[in-house]
Amino acid sequence: MNSSEVQGKKWKGEGTTLNLENIVIGRCYEYIRIVNPAVGEKNCSEIWEAFKNAFINKDPCSILPKDYELFINLSLHEIPPNKSLFWENNQLLVNSFAGRGRRYMSLADTLFGFFGDFLNWCGQENSAELDYESCPTTEECENNAVESFWRMASVTYAEHSSGVIHVLLNGSAAGGAYPDPGFFADYEIPNLQKDKISQIVIWVVDDIEGPDIESCGTHSVKILENRLKTLGYDVTCTDNYKSVMLLLCLDYPDDSKCTLSSSAPAAQRGPVSSDRRGSWNKLMIVSFELLLQ
Protein backbone atom coordinates (compact mmCIF):
# COMPACT_ATOMS: atom_id res chain seq x y z
CA MET A 1 0.00 0.00 0.00
CA ASN A 2 1.33 3.48 -0.85
CA SER A 3 0.33 6.82 0.56
CA SER A 4 -2.01 7.59 -2.32
CA GLU A 5 -4.17 4.62 -1.33
CA VAL A 6 -4.69 6.02 2.13
CA GLN A 7 -4.82 9.68 1.15
CA GLY A 8 -7.13 11.57 3.43
CA LYS A 9 -6.77 8.96 6.16
CA LYS A 10 -4.72 9.29 9.28
CA TRP A 11 -2.03 6.64 9.66
CA LYS A 12 -2.75 4.08 12.33
CA GLY A 13 0.63 4.37 14.04
CA GLU A 14 1.88 6.91 16.54
CA GLY A 15 3.41 10.08 15.19
CA THR A 16 7.05 11.12 15.42
CA THR A 17 8.39 11.26 18.96
CA LEU A 18 8.33 14.87 20.16
CA ASN A 19 11.73 16.59 20.32
CA LEU A 20 13.20 13.82 18.18
CA GLU A 21 16.21 15.84 17.00
CA ASN A 22 17.20 16.85 20.53
CA ILE A 23 16.73 13.31 21.82
CA VAL A 24 18.83 11.54 19.20
CA ILE A 25 21.65 14.10 19.14
CA GLY A 26 21.71 13.92 22.93
CA ARG A 27 21.81 10.13 22.78
CA CYS A 28 24.69 10.29 20.33
CA TYR A 29 26.77 12.45 22.68
CA GLU A 30 25.77 10.33 25.67
CA TYR A 31 26.99 7.24 23.82
CA ILE A 32 30.37 8.57 22.69
CA ARG A 33 31.09 10.36 25.98
CA ILE A 34 29.62 8.04 28.63
CA VAL A 35 28.20 4.72 27.38
CA ASN A 36 31.01 3.68 25.06
CA PRO A 37 33.75 6.32 24.61
CA ALA A 38 35.95 3.64 23.03
CA VAL A 39 34.17 4.29 19.71
CA GLY A 40 36.04 7.59 19.44
CA GLU A 41 34.83 10.88 18.04
CA LYS A 42 31.62 11.00 16.01
CA ASN A 43 29.95 14.01 14.42
CA CYS A 44 26.53 13.76 16.04
CA SER A 45 24.99 16.61 14.01
CA GLU A 46 26.16 15.01 10.78
CA ILE A 47 24.75 11.64 11.90
CA TRP A 48 21.39 13.29 12.64
CA GLU A 49 21.29 14.88 9.17
CA ALA A 50 22.08 11.54 7.52
CA PHE A 51 19.37 9.88 9.60
CA LYS A 52 16.76 12.55 8.78
CA ASN A 53 17.58 12.65 5.07
CA ALA A 54 16.84 8.93 4.83
CA PHE A 55 13.10 9.59 5.12
CA ILE A 56 12.35 13.32 4.93
CA ASN A 57 10.59 14.70 1.84
CA LYS A 58 9.63 11.17 0.80
CA ASP A 59 6.53 9.04 0.58
CA PRO A 60 6.45 7.53 4.13
CA CYS A 61 5.64 4.14 2.58
CA SER A 62 8.60 4.18 0.19
CA ILE A 63 11.56 4.22 2.57
CA LEU A 64 14.09 1.44 1.94
CA PRO A 65 16.83 0.04 4.20
CA LYS A 66 19.50 1.31 1.80
CA ASP A 67 18.27 4.87 2.43
CA TYR A 68 20.00 4.61 5.82
CA GLU A 69 23.40 3.60 4.42
CA LEU A 70 25.06 6.97 5.06
CA PHE A 71 23.69 7.06 8.60
CA ILE A 72 25.07 3.57 9.25
CA ASN A 73 28.47 4.41 7.76
CA LEU A 74 28.80 7.50 9.96
CA SER A 75 27.71 5.75 13.17
CA LEU A 76 29.38 2.36 12.64
CA HIS A 77 31.91 1.04 15.14
CA GLU A 78 33.42 -2.28 16.21
CA ILE A 79 31.30 -4.81 18.07
CA PRO A 80 33.62 -6.64 20.49
CA PRO A 81 34.04 -10.39 19.82
CA ASN A 82 31.91 -12.71 21.97
CA LYS A 83 29.64 -9.83 23.02
CA SER A 84 26.81 -9.99 20.45
CA LEU A 85 23.37 -10.73 21.88
CA PHE A 86 20.50 -11.40 19.47
CA TRP A 87 16.91 -11.77 20.67
CA GLU A 88 13.23 -12.18 19.90
CA ASN A 89 10.20 -11.22 22.05
CA ASN A 90 12.10 -9.96 25.10
CA GLN A 91 13.49 -6.49 24.37
CA LEU A 92 13.32 -5.07 27.90
CA LEU A 93 14.96 -8.17 29.37
CA VAL A 94 17.76 -8.03 26.81
CA ASN A 95 18.39 -4.35 27.51
CA SER A 96 18.71 -5.09 31.23
CA PHE A 97 20.80 -8.22 30.80
CA ALA A 98 23.24 -6.60 28.38
CA GLY A 99 23.87 -3.84 30.89
CA ARG A 100 24.52 -1.17 28.24
CA GLY A 101 27.39 -3.14 26.81
CA ARG A 102 28.94 -4.12 30.11
CA ARG A 103 27.97 -7.80 29.82
CA TYR A 104 26.91 -8.00 26.18
CA MET A 105 26.39 -5.60 23.29
CA SER A 106 22.91 -6.06 21.84
CA LEU A 107 21.80 -4.04 18.81
CA ALA A 108 20.42 -1.38 21.15
CA ASP A 109 23.88 -1.09 22.76
CA THR A 110 25.53 -0.05 19.49
CA LEU A 111 25.56 3.63 18.58
CA PHE A 112 23.27 3.11 15.58
CA GLY A 113 20.82 1.05 17.64
CA PHE A 114 21.00 3.31 20.71
CA PHE A 115 20.12 6.20 18.38
CA GLY A 116 16.64 4.89 17.56
CA ASP A 117 15.70 2.62 20.47
CA PHE A 118 12.03 3.02 21.53
CA LEU A 119 11.53 6.06 19.28
CA ASN A 120 9.12 6.61 16.40
CA TRP A 121 9.47 8.83 13.33
CA CYS A 122 8.31 9.52 9.80
CA GLY A 123 8.27 12.33 7.29
CA GLN A 124 5.81 13.61 4.73
CA GLU A 125 5.98 13.53 0.97
CA ASN A 126 7.08 16.88 -0.52
CA SER A 127 7.64 18.37 2.91
CA ALA A 128 10.72 18.99 5.03
CA GLU A 129 8.62 18.57 8.18
CA LEU A 130 8.33 15.53 10.40
CA ASP A 131 4.85 14.08 10.90
CA TYR A 132 4.06 14.38 14.60
CA GLU A 133 0.42 13.34 14.22
CA SER A 134 0.71 9.79 12.88
CA CYS A 135 3.03 7.39 11.05
CA PRO A 136 2.30 4.24 9.05
CA THR A 137 2.45 0.89 10.78
CA THR A 138 4.11 -2.14 9.22
CA GLU A 139 0.64 -3.55 8.57
CA GLU A 140 -0.17 -0.47 6.48
CA CYS A 141 3.12 -0.59 4.57
CA GLU A 142 6.34 -2.51 5.15
CA ASN A 143 8.63 0.12 3.67
CA ASN A 144 8.07 2.69 6.38
CA ALA A 145 10.83 4.72 8.03
CA VAL A 146 11.09 2.76 11.28
CA GLU A 147 10.79 -0.76 9.84
CA SER A 148 13.43 -0.05 7.18
CA PHE A 149 15.72 1.49 9.79
CA TRP A 150 15.69 -1.61 11.98
CA ARG A 151 16.12 -3.91 8.98
CA MET A 152 19.25 -2.02 7.97
CA ALA A 153 20.49 -1.90 11.57
CA SER A 154 19.89 -5.65 12.01
CA VAL A 155 21.79 -6.52 8.83
CA THR A 156 24.72 -4.32 9.90
CA TYR A 157 24.75 -5.76 13.43
CA ALA A 158 24.84 -9.33 12.13
CA GLU A 159 27.58 -8.58 9.62
CA HIS A 160 29.85 -7.18 12.35
CA SER A 161 29.26 -9.85 15.02
CA SER A 162 32.07 -12.32 15.72
CA GLY A 163 33.35 -14.99 18.06
CA VAL A 164 30.74 -16.65 20.27
CA ILE A 165 27.36 -15.06 19.62
CA HIS A 166 24.37 -15.38 21.93
CA VAL A 167 20.65 -15.62 21.22
CA LEU A 168 18.08 -14.99 23.95
CA LEU A 169 14.60 -16.33 23.17
CA ASN A 170 11.34 -16.15 25.11
CA GLY A 171 10.07 -19.66 25.84
CA SER A 172 6.68 -18.24 26.89
CA ALA A 173 5.96 -16.31 23.68
CA ALA A 174 2.59 -17.26 22.24
CA GLY A 175 3.82 -16.84 18.67
CA GLY A 176 6.84 -19.07 19.18
CA ALA A 177 10.28 -18.50 20.66
CA TYR A 178 11.77 -18.27 17.17
CA PRO A 179 9.32 -16.40 14.94
CA ASP A 180 9.76 -16.94 11.22
CA PRO A 181 9.32 -14.50 9.59
CA GLY A 182 11.13 -12.28 12.08
CA PHE A 183 14.14 -9.99 12.32
CA PHE A 184 16.50 -12.72 13.52
CA ALA A 185 15.25 -15.21 10.92
CA ASP A 186 15.09 -12.81 7.98
CA TYR A 187 17.78 -10.17 8.46
CA GLU A 188 20.30 -11.40 11.00
CA ILE A 189 20.92 -15.10 10.38
CA PRO A 190 21.39 -14.61 6.59
CA ASN A 191 23.97 -11.88 7.25
CA LEU A 192 26.11 -13.63 9.87
CA GLN A 193 29.68 -14.04 8.66
CA LYS A 194 30.34 -17.75 9.23
CA ASP A 195 34.12 -17.46 9.06
CA LYS A 196 34.04 -14.99 11.96
CA ILE A 197 31.77 -17.01 14.28
CA SER A 198 33.07 -19.83 16.49
CA GLN A 199 29.82 -20.82 18.23
CA ILE A 200 26.17 -19.85 18.59
CA VAL A 201 24.78 -20.11 22.13
CA ILE A 202 20.98 -20.16 22.46
CA TRP A 203 19.21 -19.39 25.74
CA VAL A 204 15.50 -20.15 25.98
CA VAL A 205 14.09 -18.40 29.04
CA ASP A 206 10.48 -18.54 30.23
CA ASP A 207 8.71 -15.57 31.76
CA ILE A 208 8.60 -16.03 35.54
CA GLU A 209 4.79 -16.01 35.59
CA GLY A 210 4.39 -17.24 32.03
CA PRO A 211 3.81 -20.71 30.60
CA ASP A 212 6.61 -23.05 29.53
CA ILE A 213 5.63 -23.29 25.87
CA GLU A 214 8.99 -23.93 24.24
CA SER A 215 12.33 -25.40 25.25
CA CYS A 216 15.56 -26.43 23.59
CA GLY A 217 14.99 -29.15 21.01
CA THR A 218 11.25 -28.55 20.66
CA HIS A 219 8.92 -26.68 18.30
CA SER A 220 10.37 -23.51 16.77
CA VAL A 221 13.58 -23.73 18.80
CA LYS A 222 14.31 -27.08 17.19
CA ILE A 223 13.70 -25.48 13.78
CA LEU A 224 16.22 -22.77 14.65
CA GLU A 225 18.81 -25.26 15.94
CA ASN A 226 18.47 -27.37 12.79
CA ARG A 227 18.74 -24.32 10.53
CA LEU A 228 21.93 -23.12 12.20
CA LYS A 229 23.50 -26.59 12.24
CA THR A 230 22.64 -27.05 8.56
CA LEU A 231 24.49 -23.79 7.89
CA GLY A 232 27.52 -25.33 9.60
CA TYR A 233 27.49 -23.56 12.95
CA ASP A 234 28.45 -25.10 16.28
CA VAL A 235 25.23 -24.67 18.29
CA THR A 236 24.44 -25.15 21.98
CA CYS A 237 21.12 -24.52 23.71
CA THR A 238 20.26 -24.01 27.40
CA ASP A 239 16.85 -23.71 29.01
CA ASN A 240 16.28 -21.02 31.66
CA TYR A 241 19.88 -19.83 31.76
CA LYS A 242 20.69 -19.13 35.40
CA SER A 243 22.06 -15.59 35.09
CA VAL A 244 18.99 -14.43 33.16
CA MET A 245 16.64 -16.14 35.61
CA LEU A 246 18.32 -14.38 38.52
CA LEU A 247 17.75 -11.06 36.79
CA LEU A 248 14.07 -11.89 36.25
CA CYS A 249 13.76 -12.92 39.89
CA LEU A 250 14.63 -9.43 41.06
CA ASP A 251 11.05 -8.52 40.09
CA TYR A 252 9.49 -11.76 41.38
CA PRO A 253 11.45 -12.66 44.56
CA ASP A 254 8.61 -14.71 46.06
CA ASP A 255 7.87 -16.85 43.03
CA SER A 256 8.63 -20.56 43.42
CA LYS A 257 11.00 -20.41 40.43
CA CYS A 258 13.11 -17.91 42.39
CA THR A 259 13.60 -19.97 45.54
CA LEU A 260 17.28 -20.38 46.35
CA SER A 261 18.58 -23.86 47.08
CA SER A 262 18.79 -25.05 50.68
CA SER A 263 22.58 -25.15 50.45
CA ALA A 264 22.83 -21.41 49.83
CA PRO A 265 22.98 -20.35 53.53
CA ALA A 266 26.25 -22.28 53.87
CA ALA A 267 27.95 -19.42 52.04
CA GLN A 268 27.31 -17.17 55.04
CA ARG A 269 30.28 -16.61 57.36
CA GLY A 270 30.63 -15.06 60.80
CA PRO A 271 28.02 -14.55 63.53
CA VAL A 272 24.38 -14.90 62.57
CA SER A 273 22.42 -11.68 62.98
CA SER A 274 19.33 -11.73 65.13
CA ASP A 275 17.55 -10.12 62.18
CA ARG A 276 17.85 -13.23 60.05
CA ARG A 277 15.59 -11.93 57.33
CA GLY A 278 17.69 -8.78 56.93
CA SER A 279 20.92 -10.78 56.68
CA TRP A 280 19.38 -13.15 54.16
CA ASN A 281 18.19 -10.26 52.01
CA LYS A 282 21.73 -8.87 51.99
CA LEU A 283 23.12 -12.29 51.06
CA MET A 284 20.63 -12.59 48.21
CA ILE A 285 21.58 -9.17 46.81
CA VAL A 286 25.30 -10.01 46.97
CA SER A 287 24.63 -13.35 45.27
CA PHE A 288 22.70 -11.68 42.46
CA GLU A 289 25.41 -9.09 41.96
CA LEU A 290 28.18 -11.68 41.82
CA LEU A 291 26.33 -13.97 39.42
CA LEU A 292 25.41 -11.10 37.12
CA GLN A 293 28.96 -9.73 36.80
Side-chain angles (χ1 to χ4, degrees), residues 44 51 73 211 246:
C44 293
F51 171 79
N73 290 337
L246 286 171

Side-chain angles (χ1 to χ4, degrees), residues 220-231:
S220 71
V221 181
K222 184 176 182 179
I223 293 173
L224 171 60
E225 292 178 80
N226 290 341
R227 177 180 180 182
L228 294 173
K229 289 175 181 176
T230 299
L231 291 171

